[in-house]
Amino acid sequence: MKHHSTLKVALVQQAIGKNKKDTLKKTTQMIEKASNQGAQLVVLQELHQDRYFCINENTANFDLASDFEEDVKFWSHVAKEHKVVLVTSLFEKRSAGLYHNTAVVFEKDGSVAGKYRKMHIPDDPGFYEKFYFTPGDLGYEPISTSVGKLGLLVCWDQWYPEAARLMALKGAEMLIYPTAIGWFDEDAEDEKKRQCDAWETVQRGHAIANGLPVISVNRVGKEMDDFGHLDGIRFWGNSFVAGPQGEIIVRASHDKEEILLVDVDLKRCEDVRRIWPFLRDRRIETYKGLTKRFID
Amino acid sequence: MKHHSTLKVALVQQAIGKNKKDTLKKTTQMIEKASNQGAQLVVLQELHQDRYFCINENTANFDLASDFEEDVKFWSHVAKEHKVVLVTSLFEKRSAGLYHNTAVVFEKDGSVAGKYRKMHIPDDPGFYEKFYFTPGDLGYEPISTSVGKLGLLVCWDQWYPEAARLMALKGAEMLIYPTAIGWFDEDAEDEKKRQCDAWETVQRGHAIANGLPVISVNRVGKEMDDFGHLDGIRFWGNSFVAGPQGEIIVRASHDKEEILLVDVDLKRCEDVRRIWPFLRDRRIETYKGLTKRFID
């Protein structure tokens, strides 16, 4: 028995523009193009309005969150104009001194379908997100839209099987990861390969463990540290879609702006979970330790 | 800063012999060979003493568990003779009507270092394990040995990020999976590829999410269903070791008996977890739902 229900998804992988205005124009043009090619769901990369400002810690960068309400209106308009369900990734000012890395999803009529505040926040050299983002407090709630229940997570969440599993247990029909990850040019080539492979592989693992497709969108281009402490980050692109057995359906380049347009068969999840019914056999009575930091 | 501590591990991938006696002889010879080549830790495949009897449901097969005490003595002797830490996978009779799929680990002096009873039990056509095996009741306890703390899990456990995470939280220094998984010849080639890739990928995902090496040992050869309901199972081999970034260090063929001898750098975990400190950022206060069957 085969079940079919195809969703046309566009992943917008881009480099940052000269400024926000320029970037918004380019992104909007790419969304228009995707819509004209039949995309029903468009997924943008993490913090797609700006350069990746977390490359250093600068209080002035909190200004970038001040336009959150305006940003929401802008993308609402874009979603409505191009009649697509749109996944955006914005910098949210919630109060003075309280900011989130927030993904907002718009229905094709421009209404807000829901939002997700990034739960797992990284902090390592060049990725100083703990300085900017308060950890999310909305939990892992799939966002119901006209194209399905979106298990929307963001970047560092990618490394956590717990987040993917909770989305699956709440009925998500796909996992979606806007992300901003890259290399340092000074790293060895084999280390770069291991890092990008690991990033892709762990997400394919979530697809497999949960019998769900995964959509991951990353930026490209080299962005500099205006403090000059680091030699910048070269974002590695490699946006991809994997099916519910973790199989790669489409994968972008490491260095080019691209619209990846792909048909995702949402019903194959049903077939795959029939042959691999992992949810049936979870030993939930033995999982209490998962809520511990470490078991020592 | 680089940390090094190399452990020489042997993975014994084999086809089943004509009978148990023949298989034990072959396995022992492979262990001897591995030991002579310097192996400190030898890992055998799941239920390595016998054909994969779960291919059908036959009460007579419970006889195979009757020699559990003798089996333990036998492998204790082998471990001691060849001075290796030995991971075996046996069929344990605990009482009439109470059987487990039990991995027993022997120290190089032949003493029992510990055992693990398979926690997640599959049941699908040709893999009727729920008929034979009572779900394990020993939890996820790493087994302390002279070569490290072994996070020993078995086969179907491979698909569960929860099991791998719990082993990591309890201080496992590596994840080890004896396994018995294969294809049906009638499946399409692309489906076979997806299945084997998924099986490998989800385990590499556990390596990445937990910053631990993974050692996985699978059998080869086609085994028939003596009831004639199925056209047998072709075990796909592909035993492998991945490092803590999920990188494949060594991988066996799909169809040959092999001893994979590999140096595993146990201290690279320290380096990898410094650049990817995933344990630091787990949102444990948000993970309670993981102990639910489904959240509806």
Side-chain angles (χ1 to χ4, degrees), chain A residues 120 194 245 278 287 290, chain B residues 120 160 194 245 282 287:
Chain A
H120 298 88
R194 277 197 300 273
Q245 287 173 307
F278 305 139
Y287 293 166
L290 295 171
Chain B
H120 298 88
Y160 293 85
R194 276 197 301 273
Q245 288 173 308
R282 293 176 69 240
Y287 293 166

